[in-house]
């Protein structure tokens, strides 16, 4: 994860320099017409904050979704982290109650297949690794723990009328690898999920109508 952060910092510095160079460049004498095929986002760097509603042993429950990435033409790539913020308890060892907790993060790669003045649609694959555990409610001790891989197949709808702030909704099917823990199974974490959030970004200028 530290290595990925350094890579994003490098891309951020390079992006800022390229954007500055484009802003100071003399305007081209050729007029770009609206009907021509021009990508709205040629280069950009963004960060996303959102809420993740996903299946768990306690039903559809909520967590946080944070990501940061780089756009180049119609491709995007970056890193993400997903947290769990609800409460699900079981009495695994009488008379002690145990809380479920899990956390995972990883990388994503996406492609923009549809763009217009108001929105764009992306197909994204996210792959992450994490830990799931039973934690004793009173002492916060980790009694049972296992690692897993989580894969998201995502369809994103991203609003683009505002250049630097983009609301989005992500519909995904997620699949968790097998785990060995009492009272829970990986299939309870797999299924349809929804992520609603906002992307804040630094993008190259769009063509004007």
């Amino acid at each position: 994860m530290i290595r990925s952060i350094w890579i994003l910092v490098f891309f951020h510095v390079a992006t800022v320099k390229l954007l500055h160079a484009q802003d100071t460049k003399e305007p081209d004498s050729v007029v770009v017409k609206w009907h021509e095929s021009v990508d709205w986002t040629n280069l950009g760097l963004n960060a996303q904050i959102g809420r993740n509603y996903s299946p768990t042993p306690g039903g559809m429950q909520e967590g946080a979704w944070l990501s940061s990435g780089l756009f180049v033409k119609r491709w995007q790539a970056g890193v993400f982290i997903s947290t769990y913020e609800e409460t699900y308890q079981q009495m695994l060892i009488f008379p002690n109650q145990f809380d479920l907790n899990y956390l995972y993060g990883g990388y994503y790669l996406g492609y923009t297949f549809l763009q217009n003045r108001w929105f764009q649609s992306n197909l994204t694959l996210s792959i992450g690794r994490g830990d799931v555990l039973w934690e004793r409610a009173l002492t916060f001790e980790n009694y049972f723990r296992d690692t897993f891989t989580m894969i998201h197949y995502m369809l994103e709808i991203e609003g683009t009328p505002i250049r630097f702030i983009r609301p989005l909704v992500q519909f995904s099917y997620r699949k968790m690898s097998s785990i060995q823990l009492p009272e829970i199974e990986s299939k309870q974490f797999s299924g349809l999920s929804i992520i609603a959030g906002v992307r804040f970004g630094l993008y190259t200028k769009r063509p004007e109508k």
Side-chain angles (χ1 to χ4, degrees):
M1 187 66 71
I2 298 298
R3 185 178 179 184
S4 300
I5 293 173
W6 280 112
I7 293 173
L8 286 176
V9 170
F10 170 80
F11 281 136
H12 174 70
V13 174
T15 301
V16 171
K17 289 184 178 294
L18 284 172
L19 291 176
H20 178 73
Q22 288 191 5
D23 287 340
T24 57
K25 184 179 177 182
E26 292 296 325
D28 198 338
S29 59
V30 178
V31 176
V32 178
K33 295 184 181 299
W34 180 254
H35 65 269
E36 293 178 342
S37 178
V38 178
D39 287 342
W40 278 55
T41 301
N42 293 317
L43 188 64
L45 186 70
N46 65 32
Q48 175 187 342
I49 57 174
R51 308 303 296 171
N52 184 8
Y53 302 90
S54 300
T56 71
M60 291 293 288
Q61 294 188 313
E62 184 178 352
W65 182 277
L66 306 172
S67 69
S68 179
L70 176 71
F71 279 70
V72 179
K73 294 294 184 180
R74 290 178 178 265
W75 292 95
Q76 55 178 304
V79 296
F80 75 93
I81 186 169
S82 179
T83 66
Y84 174 66
E85 299 177 358
E86 299 280 1
T87 300
Y88 178 74
Q89 287 189 337
Q90 289 286 335
M91 186 180 295
L92 303 180
I93 303 175
F94 182 84
N96 299 298
Q97 291 284 348
F98 289 81
D99 291 331
L100 175 68
N101 200 0
Y102 71 97
L103 172 74
Y104 64 100
Y107 304 90
Y108 69 86
L109 177 66
Y111 178 77
T112 300
F113 68 92
L114 180 64
Q115 291 176 310
N116 65 28
R117 177 69 175 84
W118 303 106
F119 74 94
Q120 67 182 39
S121 297
N122 314 313
L123 291 176
T124 302
L125 175 66
S126 301
I127 302 177
R129 290 277 295 173
D131 294 327
V132 58
L133 57 91
W134 283 112
E135 184 178 74
R136 189 178 178 187
L138 293 178
T139 62
F140 303 104
E141 298 173 87
N142 299 336
Y143 269 67
F144 306 97
R145 187 187 193 105
D146 201 356
T147 59
F148 65 90
T149 299
M150 188 78 80
I151 300 176
H152 286 258
Y153 305 94
M154 310 174 78
L155 170 64
E156 304 177 355
I157 301 175
E158 184 175 350
T160 59
I162 302 176
R163 183 177 172 189
F164 301 109
I165 303 175
R166 299 182 172 188
L168 79 158
V169 179
Q170 297 162 297
F171 304 94
S172 76
Y173 177 84
R174 74 176 195 174
K175 176 69 175 177
M176 177 189 272
S177 62
S178 61
I179 54 175
Q180 300 295 324
L181 286 176
E183 300 296 330
I184 57 175
E185 298 178 286
S186 61
K187 65 181 181 180
Q188 295 173 292
F189 297 87
S190 302
L192 298 177
S193 67
I194 299 175
I195 302 170
V198 178
R199 278 183 176 149
F200 304 92
L202 182 65
Y203 305 95
T204 52
K205 290 183 177 180
R206 307 171 182 173
E208 297 292 339
K209 184 171 181 179

